Amino acid sequence: MAIHLAAISAMQPFVFEELRKRGFVVHEVQHGKSWQEWVRELAPVRDEIRGVLSGGMSGLPRELIEALPKLEICAIHGVGLETTDLAAAKARGIVVTTAPVLFDDVADHALALALAACRRLVEADRFVRAGHWRKGRMGLGTSFWGKRYGIIGLGRIGSALARRLEGFGGQIAYCDPVPKADVGYARYETPLALAAASDILFLCAAGTPGGGPIVTRAVLEALGPRGVFVNIARGWLVEEEALVELLASGRLGAAGLDVFAREPEVPERLLALDNVVLAPHIASSTQECMRRMGECVIANIVEYFAHGRAVTPVSY
Ligand code: 8YV
């Protein structure tokens, strides 16, 4: 009997094609934005679904677990787990897998945003296209090399970023609840202390459920008018209103933002600011990374249903 899967997150078409080729029935409801929509659309097949294909943002909410009585596995196309109810999955014996193959691409993107913000690269592009060069020189940027780099969250993305930053001849420091014994970087107890000692602050922390923002107004103020803030983690980990206000008033120097509190909504005021580089949550959006993540989802589903064990399960 064919195994039914529900795809609630967007991924490359080859993932569904490959799974269908292998005999799975894939129900695509990934255009839905909330668990209520997924549950409603999956209602006619709720007793058939044995696997969910999800993403780092959509995860596996408790309500979806409750709505799918035959669910055995959720393969996440990403690494975010903040919307996945791991306790509820564990209680039902549902295997949850992630795609831990995006760290280098996300680190590249963090670096790209930081460089673009410091060197005013996006503004420079607009300047040339608008023909302003004929009338004069553009304003000065800020050096990126040799600075004090602060990383909030020295996990796999933060560590991949730190390795890259080593080539820029500055000082690397971090803030993480778990001290990393094997790195030579200074560790600060709080994001505030780290921000006060940084020129460029990178947010690379996981979006733990239940916690409030960790990059508060005070953290951004401590970074200051010459400071640069880069976020490739989650928008809701930052006090977004304060971020906008401080950027607009020049009390924070610049920012490179890939994520926002209410995606795909971006605060209107940011659109008019030249000291912020905006990206639509694309840190893992390279062809190579999407291919690797898709292959990881396929491998987890195929292995699990063939041999009862997944390739990259989350331990809970
Ligand atoms: C994407 C992410 O949102 O993995 C995550 O947590 O934020 C991103 O990689 C998405 O999961 C890619 O499909």
Side-chain angles (χ1 to χ4, degrees), residues 32-295:
K33 289 247 182 303
S34 63
W35 64 261
Q36 286 92 339
E37 286 175 68
W38 300 322
V39 167
R40 197 172 48 242
E41 286 202 41
L42 290 170
V45 287
R46 69 189 288 272
D47 292 322
E48 320 285 335
I49 301 294
R50 294 174 64 192
V52 164
L53 314 178
S54 191
M57 297 284 277
S58 40
L60 183 65
R62 181 176 46 81
E63 293 83 355
L64 193 58
I65 294 176
E66 285 167 359
L68 301 174
K70 302 280 166 50
L71 187 62
E72 293 171 50
I73 180 169
C74 172
I76 293 177
H77 184 267
V79 291
L81 282 170
E82 74 273 10
T83 50
T84 295
D85 193 329
L86 283 178
K90 184 179 180 181
R92 278 266 307 272
I94 298 166
V95 174
V96 176
T97 68
T98 56
V101 291
L102 51 67
F103 310 117
D104 285 295
D105 282 277
V106 177
D108 281 353
H109 192 59
L111 198 54
L113 285 172
L115 282 161
C118 285
R119 302 305 305 265
R120 300 172 62 171
L121 208 53
V122 179
E123 194 189 339
D125 181 90
R126 285 195 292 262
F127 186 88
V128 174
R129 287 172 199 266
H132 295 327
W133 195 9
R134 292 194 193 92
K135 298 171 218 146
R137 302 282 295 170
M138 197 185 117
L140 301 180
T142 306
S143 291
F144 178 76
W145 69 275
K147 291 292 171 77
R148 298 173 302 163
Y149 311 112
I151 302 176
I152 302 176
L154 200 64
R156 284 174 290 185
I157 293 171
S159 300
L161 173 62
R163 284 196 299 279
R164 286 158 173 74
L165 291 172
E166 280 175 11
F168 285 90
Q171 288 165 32
I172 300 169
Y174 73 103
C175 170
D176 193 294
V178 187
K180 312 285 159 168
D182 51 345
V183 296
Y185 317 136
R187 175 171 175 260
Y188 287 81
E189 285 292 333
T190 62
L192 183 61
L194 179 67
S198 300
D199 300 306
I200 298 155
L201 185 67
F202 295 90
L203 181 56
C204 301
T208 324
I214 53 179
V215 175
T216 57
R217 172 184 291 274
V219 170
L220 296 167
E221 279 173 351
L223 196 54
R226 296 175 62 85
V228 177
F229 174 64
V230 173
N231 190 2
I232 47 74
R234 290 290 185 256
W236 50 267
L237 292 175
V238 181
E239 284 183 2
E240 199 170 68
E241 268 181 43
L243 173 64
V244 175
E245 192 190 312
L246 294 172
L247 281 167
S249 64
R251 279 177 291 157
L252 175 65
L257 307 174
D258 188 54
V259 287
F260 302 87
R262 280 166 291 280
E263 294 170 16
E265 300 308 322
V266 173
E268 190 73 27
R269 282 174 80 195
L270 282 183
L271 306 182
L273 298 181
D274 271 337
N275 58 345
V276 59
V277 177
L278 304 170
H281 200 144
I282 53 162
S284 64
S285 297
T286 65
Q287 291 180 14
E288 295 88 340
C289 188
M290 284 288 154
R291 163 71 48 186
R292 281 197 305 276
M293 288 204 284
E295 282 169 354

